[in-house]
Amino acid sequence: MTAAPSGAKADFATADEGFTMIRPPHPAPYGTWSSPVTEEAAASHPGRAEWLRCVGDEVWWTELRPSEGGRQALLCLRDGRPHDVLPAPWNVRNSVHEYGGRPWTGQERATGGPLVVFTHHPDQRLYAYASDEDGAPRALTPLAASGEGRQLRWCAPRVGPGGDEVWCVLEEHTGPRPGDVRRVLAAVPLDGSAAGDRGGIRELTDEGPRFLTGVVLSSDGGRAAWLSWDHPDMPWDATRLHLARIDADGGLRERRTLTLTSEGDGDGGGDGARGGGASRESIAQVEWYSPDELIVATDRSGWWNLHRVDAATGHATELHPAREEFAGALWQVGMEWFRVLPDGRIACLHGHGRLALGILDPATGTLTDVEGPWTEWAPTLAVRGDRVLGVAAGPASGYEIVETSARTLAAKAITGSPDEALDPDYCPLPEPRTFEGADGRDIQACLYRPRNPRFTGPEGEKTPFVVWVHGGPTARTPKALDLQIAYFASRGIGVVVVDYSGSTGYGRAYRERLRDQWGVGDVQDCADVVSALVAEGLADPARVAIRGGSAGGWTAAASLASPLAGGRYACAAIYYPLLDAAATVTGETHDFESRYVEGLIGRPDEVPERFAERSPIHHAERVTTPFALFHGAEDPVCPAAQCDRFLARIKNPDLVHTHLLFAGEGHGFRREENIIAALKAELRLYLDTFGPSEG
């Protein structure tokens, strides 16, 4: 019999012959294919495991629960199955920097069950809980004194060297304005004596740096290290490394800022470095290697590479020089890209445009990767003896917890993927691509063609595509299964994810291509990718959409009005966007990003015309293509009021558009019913706009 097309599925069987007949895919208009990847499947999908740690021999983590109102649950792996450590409504999350940071820590105890200390999102307080103790979790920190805007927030907790305190970052909001905030390292008594007494909390550092990370302690408990940075820098621009000795009373003494030096400093710099890394470098993570040495991920070479640092002199030795990233953008306090193993080797995530797990031997510089079906690893690692725990995903399987033996490098998944029931033939395959821009620059992207074993497009019909624009903009899109991408691709709509200029994963020079160019470089890169797909005959030029959230929403909205986009888009799906750049410096965003735009656009007092030229809100009258606008009513990062102002300036009363405002949602949607509503509206936008191909 005739061979079936590759990827086709069994459609019926003949009992008398005892074998399965294969029916070839059925031609059907793009976008109309039926698919098991439903809105409900995509929306109810639990988030990937985050904030991984070992508590004793158990693996613990947090996980988003869209079906529980977006609660962040704390789980542990026990008897081979995940168990909730804390029942609903406990929500293990915090809002430090608004994006949150590491929300929990745990430790074994000599008697009884393990102790966990965590932040509860509704009130932002620290709590302690042990399963063998009577009652519910007990508060460790007080509510802030009454007053507009006042709140105490905590993140990156860890048990202090004396064992009777938890050390963490304290973010104290002192007034109603975003800038009314102070941040220090603080020590909270574990006995609960400060639950009603702000004065019972010891501040370990003075007010100084605007932002700081939690402390990491040396193995002997005698030294502490942490990072800081100040406005207008973001942590991927420039950070400082601080060291201190811990005295007998648990205080930080001999505090100092350690300046890194290495061979070749002052020679003009390497690939993308500033002045050889002598002053402007981003250290994304620090860990102690010994009581006298540190391991840091710094981009002084132009790439976030690992260095071994003498704690006394600051002399840094690069362990494995490579045009790869061994770290990323520090969007949340506590993100981890490497951990030191007991035998002195280093488990590390690294790659170019993706992250793989490897084991690095500092003595030889040898890096050996862990093999397996995973194409992307999340920035969270845990170590217990020679066990390395991480979170990884592949093209047809979602994120799962993976255990690796550092001795044999054998790896296995120890939790099931939430997508394991999904037929992999409905999962689009990632095709990393490097496109050439109009001026010859390279543009990194990943192509996802339509994929469905039961359908194919009509003969001669070109594929509709959606350009996906990630947020940040200092970020990138992981090369792993995303059910929202699969939702569209399995219905016959292609997706191309553009890691435009400014994205991470490709070195500092690529990251800084967006400096002063936001609203120009990102828009141009996306438009050039569309032109390339059309020129290759892959995309239907009349049926291309653009979709993005947060900073990606800015790019999507700007692309509707910018002449740089050249009318390439038939419609746009715009999620919780920034629409008015000037508003970020007038108090209409949070403190963490309040001066971010100075590196992306410029200083508003020096180049005010750029803010007007680039911001979509000032060009709403140019918008003539249909769009859908989705926003959370309680978004502190990109306030929904900007959407109202944008819509008020639309001149064409007949312009087809949708505006969905979701109560109870912040920056990004966490609730199942809202994700479903947004996906349905987005698909309807594409189907109504694209229609049948014209050729």
Side-chain angles (χ1 to χ4, degrees):
M1 57 184 289
T2 305
S6 176
K9 298 293 290 181
D11 202 57
F12 64 90
T14 57
D16 57 329
E17 292 182 284
F19 64 89
T20 300
M21 297 287 290
I22 304 297
R23 177 175 293 171
H26 175 67
Y30 288 113
T32 66
W33 305 349
S34 59
S35 167
V37 189
T38 63
E39 298 92 357
E40 290 76 14
S44 62
H45 186 284
R48 71 186 184 198
E50 295 183 308
W51 310 120
L52 208 61
R53 273 289 180 268
C54 290
V55 180
D57 288 327
E58 293 181 339
V59 183
W60 291 35
W61 70 95
T62 66
E63 182 179 280
L64 174 66
R65 297 276 180 82
S67 61
E68 298 180 25
R71 181 175 81 95
Q72 198 82 9
L74 179 63
L75 297 93
C76 71
L77 192 66
R78 190 170 294 157
D79 300 325
R81 296 187 299 109
H83 291 264
D84 273 23
V85 175
L86 296 163
W90 294 102
N91 190 346
V92 184
R93 187 162 68 98
N94 60 68
S95 297
V96 170
H97 297 175
E98 297 301 340
Y99 293 113
R102 173 170 285 279
W104 75 276
T105 189
Q107 68 169 10
E108 288 184 289
R109 297 187 299 168
T111 59
L115 175 72
V116 60
V117 176
F118 66 95
T119 56
H120 180 46
H121 189 260
D123 61 15
Q124 296 291 309
R125 300 171 82 181
L126 271 176
Y127 288 82
Y129 175 72
S131 59
D132 61 315
E133 295 180 354
D134 293 333
R138 51 187 174 84
L140 299 181
T141 57
L143 294 170
S146 61
E148 186 180 359
R150 293 185 179 274
Q151 191 177 55
L152 301 175
R153 303 178 181 179
W154 313 84
C155 80
R158 64 169 306 134
V159 176
D164 58 350
E165 296 176 317
V166 60
W167 288 16
C168 40
V169 174
L170 164 59
E171 180 180 276
E172 185 169 16
H173 292 252
T174 59
R177 297 174 301 179
D180 294 338
V181 61
R182 58 191 296 271
R183 298 179 183 89
V184 295
L185 296 177
V188 178
L190 277 170
D191 62 8
S193 58
D197 179 16
R198 172 67 175 80
I201 296 166
R202 289 195 306 124
E203 295 192 1
L204 299 169
T205 57
D206 306 317
E207 288 186 62
R210 191 71 174 182
F211 306 96
L212 38 74
T213 66
V215 295
V216 292
L217 302 178
S218 59
S219 58
D220 63 358
R223 308 188 76 176
W226 66 97
L227 304 173
S228 75
W229 65 97
D230 278 309
H231 282 321
D233 285 324
M234 299 299 285
W236 43 86
D237 294 324
T239 54
R240 295 180 294 266
L241 172 58
H242 302 278
L243 302 181
R245 294 191 179 274
I246 302 170
D247 61 28
D249 296 325
L252 298 181
R253 61 181 176 86
E254 299 179 24
R255 281 179 276 171
R256 62 193 178 99
T257 302
L258 187 66
T259 301
L260 304 191
T261 61
S262 58
E263 303 299 329
D265 278 359
D267 65 358
D271 179 20
R274 300 185 181 186
S279 59
R280 296 282 295 176
E281 65 181 297
S282 166
I283 301 173
Q285 186 185 343
V286 57
E287 297 288 337
W288 287 96
Y289 190 67
S290 73
D292 300 310
E293 290 183 303
L294 303 143
I295 302 294
V296 302
T298 171
D299 70 348
R300 58 187 10 247
S301 68
W303 299 81
W304 274 306
N305 280 190
L306 297 182
H307 290 65
R308 190 171 179 171
V309 176
D310 186 297
T313 65
H315 185 268
T317 302
E318 198 163 13
L319 298 179
H320 184 85
R323 292 173 59 85
E324 294 184 0
E325 303 282 39
F326 287 72
L330 190 64
W331 277 101
Q332 294 178 291
V333 175
M335 296 173 73
E336 294 171 322
W337 293 271
F338 68 90
R339 297 293 303 275
V340 178
L341 296 165
D343 64 6
R345 292 180 298 159
I346 301 169
C348 54
L349 304 177
H350 70 99
H352 184 275
R354 59 180 289 262
L355 288 176
L357 173 63
I359 304 296
L360 173 64
D361 185 346
T364 63
T366 302
L367 177 64
T368 307
D369 279 353
V370 171
E371 295 186 359
W374 309 287
T375 55
E376 192 73 62
W377 292 72
T380 183
L381 292 171
V383 169
R384 180 73 169 180
D386 74 344
R387 298 164 62 204
V388 179
L389 288 306
V391 179
S397 62
Y399 285 94
E400 53 195 358
I401 298 177
V402 177
E403 179 179 294
T404 301
S405 166
R407 180 176 53 85
T408 66
L409 296 189
K412 63 179 180 179
I414 59 173
T415 60
S417 165
D419 311 307
E420 59 190 1
L422 178 64
D423 187 332
D425 283 348
Y426 290 90
C427 300
L429 301 177
E431 300 177 40
R433 296 283 304 273
T434 300
F435 293 96
E436 183 176 324
D439 59 358
R441 72 196 181 287
D442 61 303
I443 306 169
Q444 303 297 331
C446 192
L447 188 69
Y448 295 88
R449 302 172 194 256
R451 190 165 190 245
N452 186 313
R454 297 173 56 215
F455 297 98
T456 186
E459 184 177 355
E461 183 173 336
K462 294 181 179 178
T463 308
F465 265 89
V466 180
V467 176
W468 275 41
V469 194
H470 65 68
T474 312
R476 67 176 180 86
T477 302
K479 294 176 177 60
L481 175 63
D482 183 316
L483 281 188
Q484 293 198 25
I485 292 178
Y487 172 79
F488 293 106
S490 63
R491 284 166 170 73
I493 298 174
V495 173
V496 59
V497 176
V498 181
D499 281 347
Y500 50 90
S501 297
S503 299
T504 55
Y506 308 98
R508 183 157 190 153
Y510 194 90
R511 219 163 64 230
E512 296 209 332
R513 283 197 340 206
L514 203 61
R515 184 165 290 275
D516 296 335
Q517 293 298 308
W518 197 34
V520 176
D522 50 328
V523 172
Q524 186 69 67
D525 284 355
C526 292
D528 286 349
V529 167
V530 172
S531 295
L533 292 179
V534 170
E536 292 177 19
L538 294 179
D540 183 343
R543 296 192 295 170
V544 177
I546 187 167
R547 182 236 218 217
S550 191
W554 155 281
T555 303
S559 295
L560 296 186
S562 173
L564 294 173
R568 286 176 175 82
Y569 305 108
C571 59
I574 306 168
Y575 283 79
Y576 36 90
L578 176 70
L579 296 169
D580 185 358
T584 64
V585 293
T586 58
E588 208 173 274
T589 193
H590 60 141
D591 184 54
F592 178 61
E593 292 182 275
S594 61
R595 297 184 65 181
Y596 189 12
V597 293
E598 290 187 24
L600 297 171
I601 296 177
R603 287 177 55 95
D605 57 334
E606 295 177 352
V607 288
E609 70 283 354
R610 282 189 196 163
F611 284 74
E613 290 169 359
R614 310 271 182 86
S615 295
I617 201 165
H618 294 296
H619 306 294
E621 71 283 353
R622 297 181 188 169
V623 177
T624 58
T625 52
F627 64 89
L629 187 57
F630 309 101
H631 220 116
E634 299 173 17
D635 190 339
V637 178
C638 301
Q642 292 187 20
C643 291
D644 296 333
R645 299 200 299 269
F646 178 80
L647 293 171
R649 297 185 182 192
I650 296 290
K651 297 298 184 182
N652 181 0
D654 299 322
L655 179 63
V656 175
H657 67 277
T658 299
H659 179 211
L660 295 182
L661 182 68
F662 297 113
E665 294 283 15
H667 194 64
F669 303 154
R670 303 175 65 86
R671 300 184 179 185
E672 182 178 1
E673 63 273 19
N674 296 335
I675 300 170
I676 290 172
L679 282 174
K680 286 183 175 180
E682 184 178 351
L683 179 61
R684 176 49 52 195
L685 170 72
Y686 299 152
L687 296 180
D688 289 347
T689 304
F690 290 161
S693 173
E694 296 180 359

